[in-house]
Each structure stands twice: as C-alpha cells, then as structure tokens.
Amino acid sequence: MSANSEKIVEKAPVTAPEKLKKFFEDKDWKFYCALAAGLTLAGAGAYYMTSGSKKPKTKLEPKEAKKEVQASKKQAESPAESAEKTSEVSSPDYTTLPEAEIAALTAEQRAEAAQSLKTKGNAKFSGKSYEEAAELYTKALLFKADPIFYSNRAACYANLGFNDRVIEDCNEALALDPVYVKALNRRAHALEKKVDLENALYDFTCVCILDGFKNDAASKAMERVLKLVSEKQAKEIMKTKKPRLPSPTFVSAYLDSFRPVVHDLPAASDEETGDAYYAKAFRAIQNKDYDTALEACEKAVELGCSKTYQAYALNMMGTFTFLKGNTKAALEYFDKAIEADPKYVQSLIKRSSIYMEQGDLENTFKQFELASAINPSDPDIYYHRGQVNYISGNYDAAAKDYGESIKLDDSFVYAHIQLGVVQYKLGSISSSMSTFNNTMKKFPNSTDVHNYYGELLVDQQKLPEAIEMFGKAMDLDGKNPLPYINKAMLMYQVMGDINEATQLCKRALEVDPACDAAVASLAQILLEQGKPEEALKYYEMAIDLARTEAELEHAISYVEATKTQTRFAVDYPDAAAKLRALRG
C-alpha cells in the first residue's frame, strides 16, 4: 500500500493475517511515487530480537538519556545476586586463612566461609568501597568458584574502570554458568566501552533473549549498539562504494509519477553533440534502459545542449543523481535547470523531492507555490503535493490534491490509485472500493491498479479476491516484481505454502535482480524457516543494492542481527529452540 507507515517490530507472536497486514503497511515511500520500493520486511524476521520500538532512536531526549544512565548505574552497582544488604556479623576471620587450611575444610565449611566473605563484600560495595569489595570477593573465590562471586567482582572493576578485568571475570562466571544473564550484561557494557561493538551487540542480544525481552535497559542498549555497528560499517563502505541507480522497478516508478514530456527530438545520430546525447538518453528512458540513459545524459550535460534541450538535460541529470542518492548534487542540477528555464514546472516539483528528502517541509511546499504561480493548470503539481500531504498524514488535503490532479487530467492512473488509497485511509471504504473499480474499468491493462487493489483486499481479509488481483497484475506485466512479492507473502503468511512463496520471490528477482523488496522478502522467509545462513546471503545482497548511507545502515542492521541470531543458536541451542517454538 502506498502508505509511509512506520516500521513496527513484533515482540509477541501475531496471527498470520496480522503479519500480512503489517507487510503491506510496512513499505517505504521514500520517493512518494506510485511504488513501494523500500526494504520491506514483515513479522519478526531478523529483528525478532529487538525491543519492539518503532525504529532505532538516533538521539535520546535528555530525560530518557538520564534515565538510561541511571538504570545502567543502578545495575552496575548491584553485584549481589539477591540484592541483599546484610550487615557484617560476627564470624571467623576467613580473610587471613592460609590456602592449606582452606583445603582442609569440608565443602560445607568452605561454602559457609565463601558466603560470609560475599556478604562482607556486598556491604563494602554498597558503601562504594569497590577495591575492598573486590578483595573480599577474591577471598571468597578461594573457598568456592562461584559465578556470582566473579560477576560481583566484575561489578567492582566496572566501577573502577578496569574493563579488561570486567571481561575476564565475566568470562569466568559464564564458563561456570553460560546462561548467567548478569554476567552477560556486565560483559556487554565493558565490551561497548572498549568499542568492541560486535561482541557487545551479541551479549546484549543474549541478555534480551534469555530474559524473555523483559529487560528494557538491555533492549535499548542492544538497539543503540546495533545502530552504532551499522553506522560504523556504513561509513566505511560509503568511502569506496560506487554510486548506482536503484532497481529498474524503482526508477520506473519515480519517472512514471510524472506526466511524460513530449519532445520533437533530433533524429538518432552518432554526432558528438549535447543534443544528440540528450535525444539518446530520452529514447533510452522510453525503453527503460536506464544505465544507457544515465551514460548518455552525463555526456549531454558535459558537452552542453542547445537552449531547446538544456533545461531538460539538467532536469534529467538531477533526477538520475537524486535516484542514486546524492541529494546535494541533485539539488544543484535542479537549480541549474530552473535557471535555464524558470517556467519548466517539473524542475520545481522535483526540487521539492529534494527538500522533502531533507525533511524541509517549508521549502518543499514553497516549490509547489512557485510552480502553481507559473502554471496553475499543471496536474503534476497537485499530484505530488498530494503525495507530500499523504506522507505527512494530511489525508484530507491529499485527497483534495489528488482530486484536483484528476480534474485537470484524468488520464493519469496513479492519481486515481492514490485517491482510492487515501479514501481508504480516511475510512471511506465504499468510496475507495468504488474508485478502484472505476479505475480498473478506465485502465483495464494497468498492473498497478490490480496490484494495489489487491493490497486493499488483503487488508479486508478478502484473500481469494486478493490472490486473483495479484494474478491479474502478473499476467498484465510479467516484468513487474511487486505482484509476485505481494502474492508470495500472502501464500507464506496466510496459506502456509512456503514452496510457492519462495518460488514467487525468486521469480521476482529474476524479473528484477536489483529489487530490494524481493531480496528482503526472500530473506525473511528463509530466516523464519530456520535457515539463517541462507537468509544471510540475501540480506548481504541488500547491502550491495543500497545506494545511500541510510539505506546501508538499514541493510547492515539486518545482516548483523541475523549473524547474531545464528551465533546465539549455536551457543544456546536449547534457548534458541524454545524461541523458535514461541515464534511459531
């Protein structure tokens, strides 16, 4: 569905219809065109281990940050397993007992001595005498190798800033008790402080899973570290990553969201002129040969075009640059295009895309004002302003804009589709269904109408009709991967037909090898079927397909989460089996 819905991470198992509904709502309308082209993941997936927040926070509010620090401090300052604060009692002085005499004690006597020393250590810890507390826990360990003593001493070292010692003691504790959550948590914090982020992420994840996702502080820490890991890796990759266009499906969707430009182009020739290369680029776009179009457009801008085509060439270059993820350079091209032809409204509309991408709503709407002052009858102005209003949640304003776009030109299918979608969002179900039925009659050969109508039918639990719609969409355009993906998730999450779902996703990748939605959907299916190694291959493909640093961070987060899940399953097979059973 064409919503800019928030990503919701599930903590608890959900029903198949709920999972499916979430899949269709979970689409990234980053370019607010008639295509869900983002990385689409439904259900628990690789992110099953997160806390359930809608998306990782990029910055904690001051109060939240203070609470988190206080929570961590409280946790670090409570080494005693039962939080006991027992006063020192009269007992033998075990601190001076030689090792030979310790060895001569019975097991019961050693246990009593160890407990006495631990109690004294707890009292010293409570008084913030961390060095003395550590010494007492060390003495206790001479009487009994207990994971609690190691963990408590690690807490002392944590307060003293000895992170290496924290890790060593937590390792000892975990060797004795591999599922000792407090030791895992303390080691995680120490690893994070040493900037060993991957291992810190793993430990925080183990804490979350072993604690049944009830440890909110650990969940937040895991998300924080996962973000740090993703950001760090993304920055490194971006240093050498060559800019590239997204999938042909994505490019087509953005280009098709504008009414086509009608040109009197020069005849095809081998002339080394800007106009000739622009004509070549224009024709390549019509043939959906976008790599050729980009190459020819770059040459056209380099050579320079005549006044007739200059603004169009710069506009096209800005479009390709934007699609490759370089908003700064794209804005410069659109500025030059507007300077070359101030009345070419499309350049203003596309410049609004840049500002929208940057979160600058004031300048976004200003472009529409400038455009409507030049040509108030241009239907693209209202369609794209409708998209901005839709993404911003202003559904009434969006509906009005789509209606105006249709009034000015009712031959543009996407305006009809979006009107039907926003009517559905507004709760006008009968109006929405009527709009879609009329649109299908008006555009019987449009795969997009059938595909998006199928999504609305899924939301209404009219699954046989939805399957029929997706099937018709595939028949109308066998090279559009989206109906394959939508039907695949329906077959998988509701019908339970894993084989057909897998084949449909693979078919989507055959028709568009760069379709990140197909990659992500297939990875999800494999992951939920207990095949994380296979899923990882597809998640890593998403890294190669990512164009911007933000997309890279998103893709890397799934890779790292999947790696962590795989490692957890090896280290804690019993707990992993229980988790799989809970997830169904």
Side-chain angles (χ1 to χ4, degrees):
M1 195 177 296
S2 54
N4 185 38
S5 304
E6 296 175 318
K7 301 290 188 291
I8 301 175
V9 182
E10 292 296 315
K11 271 186 173 181
V14 293
T15 63
E18 287 173 335
K19 278 188 176 182
L20 192 64
K21 180 179 179 181
K22 195 166 301 299
F23 169 75
F24 290 118
E25 289 178 345
D26 238 12
K27 293 189 172 176
D28 180 5
W29 274 71
K30 185 174 180 182
F31 288 98
Y32 46 92
C33 50
L35 167 70
L39 195 65
T40 53
L41 288 178
Y47 247 125
Y48 78 86
M49 59 196 72
T50 65
S51 69
S53 62
K54 291 180 180 177
K55 57 185 177 180
K57 294 182 181 178
T58 56
K59 182 179 180 181
L60 284 171
E61 294 298 322
K63 288 184 179 179
E64 291 183 1
K66 187 175 180 181
K67 286 180 182 178
E68 187 166 315
V69 170
Q70 288 174 341
S72 299
K73 187 175 181 182
K74 183 178 179 183
Q75 214 171 32
E77 291 182 354
S78 302
E81 186 70 11
S82 59
E84 55 188 316
K85 292 184 178 180
T86 309
S87 301
E88 293 187 36
V89 294
S90 177
S91 62
D93 186 5
Y94 295 115
T95 59
T96 59
L97 206 62
E99 290 188 24
E101 292 185 30
I102 294 173
L105 296 175
T106 65
E108 185 178 347
Q109 288 173 323
R110 285 198 298 272
E112 180 184 340
Q115 184 61 38
S116 174
L117 290 163
K118 174 198 168 191
T119 300
K120 291 180 180 179
N122 291 349
K124 291 294 183 182
F125 188 96
S126 296
K128 298 186 179 181
S129 298
Y130 302 123
E131 291 182 356
E132 292 179 60
E135 289 177 7
L136 287 163
Y137 293 133
T138 300
K139 289 289 184 180
L141 284 164
L142 293 175
F143 290 85
K144 182 182 178 182
D146 190 307
I148 295 174
F149 303 165
Y150 280 113
S151 180
N152 286 2
R153 190 170 68 177
C156 297
Y157 292 148
N159 279 279
L160 293 168
F162 302 151
N163 293 310
D164 287 331
R165 293 187 185 180
V166 173
I167 294 167
E168 289 172 5
D169 270 1
C170 288
N171 288 344
E172 293 291 344
L174 291 165
L176 294 167
D177 182 0
V179 293
Y180 188 12
V181 171
K182 277 195 174 182
L184 278 166
N185 196 51
R186 286 183 177 131
R187 188 173 68 180
H189 282 288
L191 288 166
E192 183 182 1
K193 288 175 182 176
K194 287 178 63 64
V195 199
D196 186 350
L197 298 178
E198 284 79 5
N199 283 316
L201 173 62
Y202 177 66
D203 278 355
F204 279 129
T205 301
C206 291
V207 171
C208 291
I209 299 174
L210 294 172
D211 256 359
F213 301 99
K214 295 174 184 176
N215 189 327
D216 189 54
S219 295
K220 288 179 179 178
M222 180 186 63
E223 290 190 358
R224 180 185 68 249
V225 175
L226 179 60
K227 181 172 176 57
L228 290 172
V229 169
S230 302
E231 288 175 343
K232 179 183 176 183
Q233 291 186 23
K235 285 187 188 325
E236 285 301 311
I237 293 173
M238 286 300 292
K239 290 178 182 178
T240 56
K241 190 173 182 66
K242 185 178 179 181
R244 57 176 295 280
L245 288 173
S247 75
T249 303
F250 194 119
V251 177
S252 293
Y254 185 72
L255 297 178
D256 290 348
S257 69
F258 293 88
R259 269 80 172 178
V261 174
V262 179
H263 270 323
D264 287 326
L265 293 172
S269 70
D270 294 329
E271 289 183 17
E272 289 290 317
T273 66
D275 286 4
Y277 276 106
Y278 172 72
K280 181 179 180 181
F282 188 88
R283 293 188 177 102
I285 286 176
Q286 289 181 316
N287 294 327
K288 299 187 184 300
D289 183 357
Y290 300 124
D291 289 329
T292 297
L294 172 58
E295 186 179 345
C297 183
E298 288 173 337
K299 195 69 176 175
V301 171
E302 179 189 334
L303 294 172
C305 296
S306 66
K307 189 175 181 180
T308 303
Y309 302 113
Q310 181 71 356
Y312 296 106
L314 289 166
N315 175 294
M316 184 185 291
M317 194 63 216
T319 301
F320 280 129
T321 304
F322 179 43
L323 289 171
K324 287 197 294 182
N326 190 341
T327 55
K328 183 179 178 181
L331 184 60
E332 293 175 0
Y333 282 119
F334 288 131
D335 287 343
K336 290 178 182 177
I338 292 165
E339 184 180 344
D341 184 357
K343 293 185 178 181
Y344 185 26
V345 166
Q346 191 187 99
S347 295
L348 287 163
I349 298 173
K350 287 183 176 178
R351 190 163 68 177
S352 76
S353 299
I354 304 291
Y355 290 124
M356 183 64 183
E357 174 77 2
Q358 295 173 343
D360 186 348
L361 278 177
E362 183 179 351
N363 268 317
T364 297
F365 282 107
K366 184 178 180 181
Q367 306 313 304
F368 295 119
E369 291 174 11
L370 294 171
S372 59
I374 295 168
N375 183 5
S377 299
D378 189 319
D380 276 351
I381 296 171
Y382 305 98
Y383 174 73
H384 285 274
R385 191 173 68 184
Q387 296 292 72
V388 172
N389 278 317
Y390 183 92
I391 290 173
S392 302
N394 300 321
Y395 298 136
D396 287 314
K400 184 178 178 181
D401 278 334
Y402 296 140
E404 185 64 21
S405 181
I406 292 169
K407 180 181 175 182
L408 291 168
D409 174 17
D410 69 351
S411 68
F412 189 60
V413 65
Y414 296 118
H416 294 272
I417 292 173
Q418 286 300 116
L419 178 61
V421 169
V422 78
Q423 287 171 336
Y424 193 87
K425 275 287 187 181
L426 286 166
S428 302
I429 308 302
S430 59
S431 296
S432 175
M433 296 299 102
S434 176
T435 296
F436 266 99
N437 282 314
N438 290 333
T439 303
M440 281 191 290
K441 291 177 183 177
K442 187 175 180 64
F443 305 94
N445 296 320
S446 170
T447 187
D448 293 301
V449 177
H450 291 83
N451 184 50
Y452 292 121
Y453 186 44
E455 294 188 10
L456 296 189
L457 291 170
V458 168
D459 191 67
Q460 296 177 70
Q461 297 300 301
K462 296 179 179 179
L463 304 183
E465 294 95 325
I467 290 174
E468 183 183 358
M469 281 298 124
F470 294 141
K472 286 182 178 178
M474 286 185 278
D475 291 339
L476 288 167
D477 182 4
K479 293 185 178 180
N480 187 329
L482 298 183
Y484 293 101
I485 299 167
N486 286 343
K487 185 178 178 182
M489 299 313 291
L490 180 57
M491 299 306 295
Y492 172 59
Q493 294 181 339
V494 178
M495 305 303 182
D497 192 334
I498 299 168
N499 289 332
E500 183 172 358
T502 302
Q503 291 306 311
L504 284 165
C505 285
K506 289 182 176 179
R507 176 60 181 152
L509 278 175
E510 286 175 9
V511 300
D512 187 350
C515 181
D516 50 7
V519 169
S521 298
L522 186 54
Q524 177 198 335
I525 292 172
L526 291 167
L527 187 67
E528 292 187 357
Q529 292 307 308
K531 301 176 181 178
E533 292 85 0
E534 291 182 54
L536 190 58
K537 294 176 184 177
Y538 288 98
Y539 281 134
E540 287 174 339
M541 281 178 61
I543 292 178
D544 293 332
L545 295 174
R547 298 162 300 111
T548 66
E549 192 167 323
E551 288 178 9
L552 265 176
E553 289 175 19
H554 188 72
I556 290 167
S557 70
Y558 282 102
V559 169
E560 291 304 315
T562 305
K563 285 181 178 178
T564 303
Q565 175 182 345
T566 304
R567 182 176 169 186
F568 179 85
V570 172
D571 291 349
Y572 301 94
D574 292 340
K578 289 179 182 178
L579 183 66
R580 284 194 294 271
L582 283 173
R583 293 172 59 217

